[in-house]
Amino acid sequence: MDADDWRTKAGPWARATLPDGQQLDVIVTGRTRTPDGRWWFEAEAILPSRYQRADGHTQATGSPTPISVPADCIAPIPGERYDTVPTEGRAAGRQWALELLHQHLDGPSRRLHRRDCWQVRSEHELLATTEAAGFLGHPEVDACDVCRPDHALRSLTRSALSRQPWR
């Protein structure tokens, strides 16, 4: 099998920018969203390696080497299809906190915060963006007046709220 034939059977391919600025075509094997909300692409870089035959002769070959690339350092290659790439952690990017309020007054029983808001107390659950946006305007939920999650969530819902890399 020649190199061009092998390349068309592997894939999908994408162009990764390495930390030193070099670009390398890689085989995309998966997408992962980490708990901090960042997307990463799992890939295989075909790197040079040595193959030694049973008769002792050696030859240069390519060997797939697993790497992880931040989503902002990888670009799709036109003509490649990414819809079958396994995706993990869609809900891992829980950037919003829904706090349970301990009050007996006629008012909201929960408060919505940004995940990093210093006002969040210990009793809270973390929400994905779509879930948090669903609580905007709910009579039992108040938006924090310190971190103002309502401002960010409204602008996100106007843009592509559930955008996922290369869906």
Side-chain angles (χ1 to χ4, degrees), residues 131-147:
E131 296 170 297
F135 282 108
L136 289 179
H138 190 282
E140 293 295 317
V141 178
D142 191 18
C144 175
D145 57 356
V146 173
C147 67

Side-chain angles (χ1 to χ4, degrees), residues 54-130:
D55 65 3
H57 287 89
T58 59
Q59 68 187 58
T61 186
S63 179
T65 304
I67 63 171
S68 292
V69 181
D72 56 345
C73 292
I74 197 161
I77 294 176
E80 296 286 334
R81 295 192 57 202
Y82 303 96
D83 53 349
T84 60
V85 174
T87 302
E88 295 181 24
R90 286 186 180 114
R94 298 183 181 278
Q95 299 301 309
W96 311 97
L98 187 61
E99 174 188 17
L100 176 63
L101 301 176
H102 296 286
Q103 60 185 34
H104 301 289
L105 305 173
D106 293 332
S109 59
R110 297 185 179 273
R111 182 171 294 126
L112 187 63
H113 299 269
R114 292 177 190 246
R115 183 180 186 165
D116 60 353
C117 180
W118 63 275
Q119 292 282 316
V120 179
R121 297 192 186 116
S122 59
E123 279 193 64
H124 67 277
E125 64 179 301
L126 296 177
L127 304 174
T129 301
T130 51

Side-chain angles (χ1 to χ4, degrees), residues 31-33 39 41 71 82-83 85-91 160-167:
R31 291 178 282 230
T32 303
R33 190 171 196 177
W39 282 100
F41 280 78
Y82 303 96
D83 53 349
V85 174
T87 302
E88 295 181 24
R90 286 186 180 114
L161 179 64
S162 60
R163 187 181 317 155
Q164 177 186 23
W166 309 348
R167 190 168 210 177

